[in-house]
Amino acid sequence: MTNDSTGQSQAAPPEKDYYKALHQAALTLSSSLELDEVLQSVVISITQAMQVKACGLRLLDPETGQMRLSAVYGLSNEYLAKGPVNVVNSPFDSEALLGSPVYIADVRVDPRFQYKDAARQEGLVSVLCVPLEVHGNAIGVMRVYTNSLTNFHEDDIQFLSVLASLAALAIENARLYESIRNSYHGVMNAFWGTQVSP
């Protein structure tokens, strides 16, 4: 318990249970091939475990340079409709895609953040962003947002980085599964097509 400025006792904030969240994420990853379901579960787990306002996962579209939203929890539809996130207009994401965590203390005023006015209206303040990497190549980013000035600690960064790695693994596995399935169907169609030809 702690006391506020009026002398009233306040309950201490609950402890962050990163081990439990990691365990839950690992169970989800191993029990489902539905990528959207897995990624949504991961961003919810991150938001709850880190006690932040929101979490979002964006994947890089190499052809357009856009960071496409793949999973999100805690952000309003109005904020999500603010416009596309382009790497060329977002030094914040560009920096993370180079392979290192990026922290912004106040996105309402930091020039690296693309939509400062929208962030202000949404009540966003601090943001931590880590890359999603597959075989050393960044394929997207994972962000967490707070509604107050927040100084993220090393365990926060490590936790988010581990979950981002698990999400990247799930994405890679889903892509491999889809590729194998398509190849199988292609082979079978060609085989049966040959068999029934006159």
Side-chain angles (χ1 to χ4, degrees), residues 56-124:
L57 186 157
R58 288 184 178 272
L59 294 178
L60 174 64
D61 183 334
E63 294 184 2
T64 65
Q66 287 191 7
M67 302 295 294
R68 299 194 179 279
L69 191 66
S70 294
V72 65
Y73 180 74
L75 296 175
S76 69
N77 290 330
E78 291 77 14
Y79 181 77
L80 296 176
K82 64 191 180 302
V85 176
N86 296 301
V87 173
V88 293
N89 298 324
S90 180
F92 178 54
D93 290 305
S94 298
E95 197 174 333
L97 288 170
L98 293 176
S100 298
V102 183
Y103 163 69
I104 293 182
D106 193 341
V107 295
R108 299 168 297 182
V109 297
D110 196 300
R112 292 175 294 169
F113 200 78
Q114 188 175 354
Y115 292 101
K116 292 183 283 296
D117 290 340
R120 191 176 295 109
Q121 292 172 7
E122 184 74 2
L124 306 179

Side-chain angles (χ1 to χ4, degrees), residues 81-197:
K82 64 191 180 302
V85 176
N86 296 301
V87 173
V88 293
N89 298 324
S90 180
F92 178 54
D93 290 305
S94 298
E95 197 174 333
L97 288 170
L98 293 176
S100 298
V102 183
Y103 163 69
I104 293 182
D106 193 341
V107 295
R108 299 168 297 182
V109 297
D110 196 300
R112 292 175 294 169
F113 200 78
Q114 188 175 354
Y115 292 101
K116 292 183 283 296
D117 290 340
R120 191 176 295 109
Q121 292 172 7
E122 184 74 2
L124 306 179
V125 182
S126 299
V127 178
L128 174 65
C129 180
V130 299
L132 276 75
E133 294 183 311
V134 174
H135 306 307
N137 296 316
I139 61 169
V141 298
M142 183 87 79
R143 297 178 176 183
V144 291
Y145 307 78
T146 70
N147 55 10
S148 61
L149 284 171
T150 303
N151 184 24
F152 292 101
H153 300 289
E154 185 60 32
D155 59 338
D156 301 318
I157 296 170
Q158 288 183 353
F159 172 74
L160 187 59
S161 296
V162 168
L163 266 293
S165 295
L166 289 175
L169 181 63
I171 293 165
E172 176 71 356
N173 286 342
R175 288 175 175 173
L176 288 172
Y177 172 75
E178 188 66 22
S179 176
I180 291 169
R181 189 174 69 170
N182 289 340
S183 296
Y184 170 79
H185 286 309
V187 168
M188 294 307 292
N189 287 339
F191 175 76
W192 289 112
T194 302
Q195 292 293 96
V196 299
S197 297

